[in-house]
Amino acid sequence: MSFSLCVILLIYGGWLLLRCFVVDYFTIKTSSMNPTLQSGDKVFVNKLLMGPRIYKSLHFVPSGQDLESWRLKGLRMLRQNDIVVFNFPHHEGRISFVINNVYCKRIVGMPGDSLRIVDGHYRNNNYGGVLGTVEEQARLEQTPDSLLWPPSLPAIPFDDHFAWTIRHFGPMYIPRKGDVMRVTPYEATLYHILLEWETGQPIACDWDRGEVWAGEEHFRRHQWKHNYYFMAGDNVLDSNDSRYWGLVPEEYIVGVVHHIVKKGRDEV
């Protein structure tokens, strides 16, 4: 093997290690984070802040699979208002991992938070500042229902017992690892996909009788096994985010955006 080829292989290997353990970059492909991020912008993701994710296997199934990984110790915990890149976790009504299916959103709800949407504006019991872009939330508040695309107004869990919308939502408690939660039809409906993922059992409930089953067993209490996050796009009038498909497990987060390359200029 020639010296030049060895150098090229070393450089390429170093570049791969850098992307795996330190920093990676992604191109924004939608307008969901406008005006903060626009289609075509590039974001550099710091993996050291929350710790790089290490896969136990490099055999990835394009249709989705269970995520088997562990994470090195990070420099700090995630925070409300962090912009993060994550693997989209919801596929065909269940939690599954698809290697290159990534989204970029803002954290508006952390594990242990209770999140509400009031007149289109995010409210978090553990965060007193502005979440996201207040001007875009004001646009939602001022836009009449008649000008909204009808399917965009209802929000999870899309159930008549809740009737939540992107204008008025919650409160929704964001589960934290180790929390013990009483499970009634309310919780079973709101966290349905997450509970099926954590228990490995189909979840069913009877609102009239106030009963919940995990498989064939009555299900009354659950201790959460994972931390979860509520992800939102700054462009609240046109963002496919947690309002429509639910929460993101911590394991699915790639890292925190720390540098943005826009047209003609850079931002931190």
Side-chain angles (χ1 to χ4, degrees), residues 53-69 87 97-100:
R53 187 174 57 187
I54 311 298
Y55 298 114
K56 294 181 180 180
S57 169
L58 296 180
H59 176 68
F60 300 115
V61 179
S63 60
Q65 65 194 85
D66 290 335
L67 172 60
E68 296 183 0
S69 68
N87 293 91
F97 177 80
V98 177
I99 181 65
N100 290 319

Side-chain angles (χ1 to χ4, degrees), residues 91-107:
H91 300 97
E92 311 236 343
R94 65 186 184 92
I95 301 291
S96 65
F97 177 80
V98 177
I99 181 65
N100 290 319
N101 187 10
V102 294
Y103 280 28
C104 182
K105 305 289 182 185
R106 186 185 298 275
I107 296 175

Side-chain angles (χ1 to χ4, degrees), residues 33 49-50 76-85 104-110 127 131-132 229-232 234 253 255-257:
M33 282 294 292
L49 289 181
M50 67 177 301
R76 70 163 172 86
M77 299 191 56
L78 296 172
R79 302 167 181 162
Q80 292 95 346
N81 264 337
D82 276 343
I83 299 174
V84 297
V85 169
C104 182
K105 305 289 182 185
R106 186 185 298 275
I107 296 175
V108 297
M110 297 270 296
Y127 188 81
L131 289 163
Y229 296 79
F230 194 106
M231 305 294 191
D234 287 353
I253 300 175
V256 180
V257 172

Side-chain angles (χ1 to χ4, degrees), residues 14 43 58 87 112-113 261:
V43 294
L58 296 180
N87 293 91
D113 292 349
V261 178

Side-chain angles (χ1 to χ4, degrees), residues 36 44 47 88 90 113 186 190 194 200 209 222 228 231:
T36 309
F44 285 80
K47 295 186 174 183
F88 181 67
H90 296 266
D113 292 349
Y186 184 95
L190 182 56
L194 305 182
R209 298 171 60 183
H222 180 67
Y228 294 92
M231 305 294 191

Side-chain angles (χ1 to χ4, degrees), residues 1-10:
M1 184 181 296
S2 68
F3 176 76
S4 59
L5 180 58
C6 288
V7 171
I8 292 172
L9 290 175
L10 285 172

